[in-house]
Amino acid sequence: MSKQELYTSAAAKYWRDTLSDRLPSEWRKNVDEFEADITLKKMGKVDHKLFAETRLRMGAYGQRYDNGHRYDGKTVRDIPFPEEFKGPETYWDAPGMQRIKLPWGGLTPDQMDLFADLAEEYSDGICHITTRQAIQLHYIHIENCPSMYRRLGALGITTREACGNAVRNVSADPMTGVSPTEAFDVTPYAQAIFEFLLGHPDAQDFGRKFKIALSGDKEGSSGLVNIHDLGLIARIKDGKRGFEFYVGGGLGAVPYAAKLFSDFVSEEEILPLSQAVCRIYARHGEKKKRHRARIKFLIADLGFEKFRDMVIEERAKLPHDPRWTAYLKDLNKLDEKPSRPAGSGLKCTGDAAFDFWVKTNVKPQKQKGYVAVLVTLPLGDITSNQMRNLADICRKYINDTVRTVAEQNLLLRWVSENDVAALYAELKAVGLHLPGAESILDVTACPGTDTCKLGVSSSRGLAGEMRSRLYAKGAAIDPAIRDLRIKISGCFNSCSHHHIADIGFYGISRNVGGYVVPHFQMVLGGQFQNNGGAYGIGVGGIASKAVPAVVERLTGLYLESRNKDENFRTWVERTGKATIMQSLQDLLEVPAYEKDKSFYVDWGDVREYSVKDKGIGECAGEIVTLTDFGLKAADRELFDAQLRFEGGDATSAGSRAYRAMVLAAQGLLKGKDPDVPENADVVMERFTKEFHDTGVFNDPYAGPKFAQYYFQAHGHRGQGLDKDKTSLLLHEAQLFVEACHSCYARMSLTETKEAVA
Ligand code: HEM
Ligand code: SF4
């Protein structure tokens, strides 16, 4: 045993001996079993796939580390690890990410101290707040996980089902309980759903993850019910508490808005009805094709009415469970109390920085004399030292009333108005006084290429750049654009919630003159408010390095040409994508490699975007292939389809979206055979044979998912679809065309490599 191994096992024994008794028995059993699995895995006695699912269900993810090798700017170096893999091409015991779920985002100062310790001892000293109110630690070693789980469990936190095909963190509007506009506090209901469904036998056999959110009110809430598999919005009817009950929302590559299942489900009924939904999803949901496995697809396939009937029938058959209503007797258990007397109004200090911070980071509570204060965390990160300091600040001013926020910040509730200035001073002393929460300054980003294996472009790099440019303007930013949201995902999976941003981006790559260049697809006009009330629509790909200039131009245009009080979404709709893209035209051109190499390096990286590009000769910039032309034609056709949809002509939008897919497939085929015929059936047949069946088209992570969109569209050819279905087809066509671009980029790299070899 090495010194490190000896230390790890001695520490594990210490935590096991000291803490096991303080964990609920079920949680203890889970951790013990996981620890045993690790031992068996080391002995080679557990199948790789089985171990991976066990690990994921405990919230331990694989993490990107350049798949076992890293390009250091000059050469590719291997990172030495044993032979077995963790996920696609990652070693099973390589450093990973631990997701720790926090139901309804609740956090106490003692837990904050613990997070600080865990991040310092096992991670890189940084706690990362996620867009679903969880906390993530990166670079975790699998052998430290059981100790971590015991330490968390002793303070009431479980990581069970934080990942995997299970009920994920049950999130809630962080303002619930103090929001002036809500019907009532949803915290105890969120806690009840979490406790009831955690490890519930009816929620163990899903084809995919299942996300639940609760919100106290319909408007102005960041409960984000609309983007969840199951969502509840508080309502009082005839003096009785209940919920509007929604199902089938979800982001991911193609976003679906949740559908209203019932406009009033009484508080006694929410657990049995949720259970019935889980049973129907587990029994009838797709299990084999991952890309069709979320409940949104089951509802689309069955039809909403049929799905609802099945759930209602299932509910009627459920044997009574006393837990359905037991929690209602103790509904006030989680009620919060202030630790300081109510204040008497916010005092103005005349300090411009403080006043700006108050404007963006201090929110009124319904309880007179108290406010809720947002602590802005750049990119969702807080260091261990800051976390410890913040825990002490909380003990002094508020105590156990902290919540994580979907926009990757922390919310301190129940701050007395009299304490706001003193609190600001203490936050400032530890670097946590940044203004701009819930504004354009506070750009949200997923982990992207930093640590996520699926990342295509550097979302955090771009977000960091955007933040520093926007913060440089700070309070000088016009109030009309200050309230806009920017959200950046490293790929189409939308972990940053780019679909509901005013200005959203997701990472894509494009081939420019034989080089692969990091790009972002821009998505405009989504709505974060109203529970994620509307999804934006893709307008076009932009080189990563051009994005800051594009945002500057775009917001300038909005300011110049908006009608009085016109919001961004309405402005986008009125102006139209064609005009918007036209006005950005000069920023969309990617300079040749020889002219400006900076476009070929992503934000926050010193390396060229693709190491394999390095072998390309100088003539590469001149090559324009038939595939380039074909893909360009597909982009144009798709853009036209989107314009027609925008103009209210869903019928021709549908057939054009399908046509864009055919053109893209044909473009790829032209790389092999310039004489590929126009006939759509022949294109489909040859694409299937030459790109799908051979696996050439498969995305390294999403597999053949995007080809399936094309196959489905070939069935109906974009005809006879209603508005909702056409909107989905537009998203799917966009993803398929992007996948053709990526496939072409991968093929060019292989060819280049072969030519150079
Ligand atoms: C190891 C890194 C990660 C991987 C491999 C990953 C994978 C994915 C995938 C595949 C989806 C699409 C889901 C679907 O279509 O079914 C997704 C969605 C999502 N992920 Fe992640 N993710 C990662 C990290 C994160 C992080 C750090 C966050 C929070 C900051 C996050 C939050 C979300 C959210 C909010 C969605 C979209 C909402 C929805 O599913 O409806 N993910 N993720
Ligand atoms: S959006 Fe893509 S890159 Fe970002 S965290 Fe999600 S899966 Fe990873």
Coordinates of all heavy atoms in Angstrom, one line a residue, residues 188-221:
P188 N -42.3 22.7 2.8 CA -42.6 21.4 3.4 C -43.1 20.4 2.4 O -42.9 19.2 2.6 CB -43.7 21.7 4.5 CG -44.2 23.1 4.2 CD -43.1 23.8 3.4
Y189 N -43.7 20.9 1.4 CA -44.2 20.0 0.3 C -43.0 19.4 -0.5 O -43.0 18.2 -0.9 CB -45.2 20.7 -0.6 CG -46.4 21.2 0.2 CD1 -46.4 22.5 0.7 CD2 -47.5 20.4 0.5 CE1 -47.5 23.0 1.5 CE2 -48.5 20.9 1.3 CZ -48.5 22.2 1.7 OH -49.6 22.7 2.5
A190 N -42.1 20.3 -0.8 CA -40.9 19.8 -1.5 C -40.1 18.8 -0.7 O -39.7 17.8 -1.2 CB -40.0 21.0 -1.8
Q191 N -40.0 19.1 0.6 CA -39.3 18.1 1.5 C -40.1 16.8 1.5 O -39.5 15.7 1.5 CB -39.3 18.7 2.9 CG -38.6 17.8 3.9 CD -37.1 17.6 3.7 OE1 -36.5 18.4 3.0 NE2 -36.5 16.6 4.3
A192 N -41.4 16.9 1.6 CA -42.2 15.6 1.6 C -42.1 14.8 0.3 O -41.9 13.6 0.4 CB -43.7 16.0 1.8
I193 N -42.1 15.5 -0.8 CA -41.9 14.7 -2.1 C -40.5 14.1 -2.1 O -40.3 12.9 -2.5 CB -42.1 15.7 -3.3 CG1 -43.5 16.2 -3.3 CG2 -41.7 15.0 -4.6 CD1 -43.8 17.2 -4.4
F194 N -39.5 14.9 -1.7 CA -38.1 14.3 -1.6 C -38.1 13.1 -0.7 O -37.6 12.0 -1.2 CB -37.2 15.4 -1.1 CG -35.9 14.9 -0.5 CD1 -35.0 14.3 -1.2 CD2 -35.7 15.0 0.9 CE1 -33.8 13.7 -0.7 CE2 -34.5 14.5 1.5 CZ -33.6 13.9 0.7
E195 N -38.6 13.2 0.5 CA -38.5 12.0 1.4 C -39.3 10.8 0.9 O -38.9 9.7 1.0 CB -39.0 12.4 2.8 CG -38.1 13.3 3.5 CD -38.6 13.8 4.9 OE1 -39.7 13.3 5.3 OE2 -38.0 14.7 5.5
F196 N -40.5 11.1 0.3 CA -41.4 10.0 -0.1 C -40.8 9.3 -1.3 O -40.8 8.0 -1.4 CB -42.7 10.6 -0.5 CG -43.7 9.6 -1.0 CD1 -44.2 8.6 -0.1 CD2 -44.2 9.7 -2.3 CE1 -45.1 7.7 -0.5 CE2 -45.1 8.7 -2.7 CZ -45.6 7.7 -1.8
L197 N -40.2 10.0 -2.3 CA -39.7 9.4 -3.5 C -38.3 8.9 -3.4 O -37.9 8.1 -4.3 CB -39.9 10.3 -4.7 CG -41.3 10.5 -5.1 CD1 -41.4 11.5 -6.3 CD2 -42.1 9.2 -5.5
L198 N -37.5 9.3 -2.4 CA -36.1 8.9 -2.3 C -36.1 7.3 -2.1 O -36.6 6.8 -1.1 CB -35.4 9.6 -1.1 CG -33.9 9.2 -1.0 CD1 -33.1 9.9 -2.1 CD2 -33.4 9.6 0.4
G199 N -35.5 6.6 -3.0 CA -35.4 5.2 -2.9 C -36.8 4.5 -3.0 O -36.9 3.3 -2.7
H200 N -37.8 5.2 -3.4 CA -39.2 4.5 -3.5 C -39.1 3.5 -4.6 O -38.6 3.7 -5.7 CB -40.2 5.6 -3.8 CG -41.6 5.1 -3.6 ND1 -42.2 4.1 -4.4 CD2 -42.6 5.5 -2.7 CE1 -43.4 3.9 -3.9 NE2 -43.7 4.7 -2.9
P201 N -39.7 2.3 -4.3 CA -39.6 1.2 -5.3 C -40.2 1.6 -6.6 O -39.8 1.1 -7.7 CB -40.4 0.1 -4.7 CG -40.6 0.4 -3.2 CD -40.3 1.9 -3.0
D202 N -41.2 2.5 -6.6 CA -41.9 2.9 -7.9 C -41.1 3.9 -8.7 O -41.4 4.3 -9.8 CB -43.3 3.5 -7.6 CG -44.2 2.4 -7.1 OD1 -44.0 1.2 -7.4 OD2 -45.3 2.8 -6.5
A203 N -39.9 4.3 -8.1 CA -39.1 5.3 -8.8 C -37.7 4.8 -9.1 O -36.8 5.6 -9.1 CB -39.1 6.6 -8.0
Q204 N -37.6 3.5 -9.2 CA -36.3 2.9 -9.4 C -36.0 2.4 -10.8 O -34.9 2.0 -11.1 CB -36.0 1.8 -8.4 CG -36.1 2.2 -7.0 CD -35.2 3.3 -6.6 OE1 -34.0 3.2 -6.8 NE2 -35.7 4.4 -6.1
D205 N -37.1 2.4 -11.6 CA -36.9 1.7 -12.9 C -37.2 2.7 -14.1 O -37.9 2.3 -15.0 CB -37.8 0.5 -13.0 CG -37.5 -0.4 -14.2 OD1 -36.3 -0.3 -14.7 OD2 -38.4 -1.1 -14.7
F206 N -36.6 3.8 -14.0 CA -36.9 4.8 -15.1 C -35.8 4.6 -16.2 O -34.7 4.2 -15.9 CB -36.7 6.3 -14.5 CG -37.7 6.7 -13.5 CD1 -37.4 7.8 -12.7 CD2 -38.9 6.1 -13.4 CE1 -38.3 8.2 -11.7 CE2 -39.8 6.5 -12.4 CZ -39.5 7.5 -11.6
G207 N -36.2 5.1 -17.4 CA -35.3 5.0 -18.5 C -34.3 6.2 -18.5 O -33.2 6.1 -19.1
R208 N -34.7 7.2 -17.7 CA -33.9 8.4 -17.7 C -34.1 9.1 -16.4 O -34.9 8.7 -15.6 CB -34.2 9.4 -18.8 CG -33.5 9.2 -20.1 CD -32.0 9.2 -20.0 NE -31.4 10.4 -20.5 CZ -30.6 11.2 -19.8 NH1 -30.3 10.9 -18.5 NH2 -30.0 12.3 -20.2
K209 N -33.5 10.3 -16.2 CA -33.7 11.1 -15.0 C -35.1 11.7 -14.9 O -35.7 11.8 -15.9 CB -32.6 12.1 -14.9 CG -32.6 13.0 -16.1 CD -31.5 14.1 -16.0 CE -31.2 14.7 -17.3 NZ -30.1 15.6 -17.3
F210 N -35.4 12.1 -13.7 CA -36.8 12.7 -13.5 C -36.6 13.8 -12.5 O -36.2 13.7 -11.4 CB -37.6 11.6 -12.9 CG -39.1 11.9 -12.9 CD1 -39.8 11.8 -14.0 CD2 -39.7 12.3 -11.7 CE1 -41.2 12.0 -14.0 CE2 -41.1 12.6 -11.7 CZ -41.8 12.5 -12.9
K211 N -36.9 15.0 -13.0 CA -36.7 16.2 -12.3 C -38.0 16.9 -11.8 O -38.9 17.0 -12.6 CB -35.9 17.2 -13.1 CG -34.5 16.7 -13.5 CD -33.7 17.7 -14.3 CE -32.4 17.1 -14.7 NZ -31.6 18.0 -15.5
I212 N -38.0 17.3 -10.5 CA -39.2 17.8 -9.9 C -38.9 19.2 -9.4 O -37.9 19.5 -8.8 CB -39.7 16.9 -8.8 CG1 -40.0 15.5 -9.3 CG2 -41.0 17.5 -8.2 CD1 -40.5 14.5 -8.3
A213 N -39.9 20.2 -9.6 CA -39.7 21.5 -9.1 C -41.0 22.0 -8.5 O -42.1 21.7 -9.0 CB -39.2 22.5 -10.1
L214 N -40.9 22.9 -7.5 CA -42.1 23.5 -6.9 C -42.0 25.0 -6.9 O -40.8 25.5 -6.7 CB -42.4 23.0 -5.5 CG -42.9 21.6 -5.3 CD1 -41.7 20.6 -5.3 CD2 -43.7 21.4 -4.1
S215 N -43.1 25.6 -7.0 CA -43.1 27.1 -7.0 C -44.2 27.6 -6.2 O -45.3 27.1 -6.2 CB -43.1 27.5 -8.5 OG -42.9 28.9 -8.6
G216 N -44.0 28.8 -5.5 CA -45.1 29.4 -4.7 C -46.0 30.2 -5.6 O -47.2 30.4 -5.2
D217 N -45.6 30.7 -6.7 CA -46.5 31.4 -7.5 C -46.1 31.3 -9.0 O -45.1 30.8 -9.4 CB -46.5 32.9 -7.1 CG -45.2 33.6 -7.3 OD1 -44.2 33.0 -7.2 OD2 -45.3 34.8 -7.6
K218 N -47.1 31.8 -9.8 CA -46.9 31.5 -11.3 C -46.0 32.5 -12.0 O -45.2 32.1 -12.8 CB -48.3 31.6 -11.9 CG -48.6 30.6 -12.9 CD -50.1 30.5 -13.2 CE -50.2 29.7 -14.4 NZ -51.5 29.2 -14.6
E219 N -46.2 33.8 -11.6 CA -45.4 34.8 -12.2 C -44.1 35.1 -11.4 O -44.2 35.0 -10.2 CB -46.2 36.1 -12.5 CG -47.2 36.0 -13.6 CD -48.6 35.7 -13.0 OE1 -48.9 36.2 -11.9 OE2 -49.3 34.9 -13.6
G220 N -43.2 35.6 -12.0 CA -42.0 36.2 -11.4 C -41.3 35.2 -10.5 O -40.5 35.6 -9.6
S221 N -41.5 33.9 -10.7 CA -40.9 32.9 -9.8 C -39.7 32.3 -10.5 O -39.7 32.0 -11.7 CB -41.9 31.9 -9.4 OG -41.3 30.6 -9.2

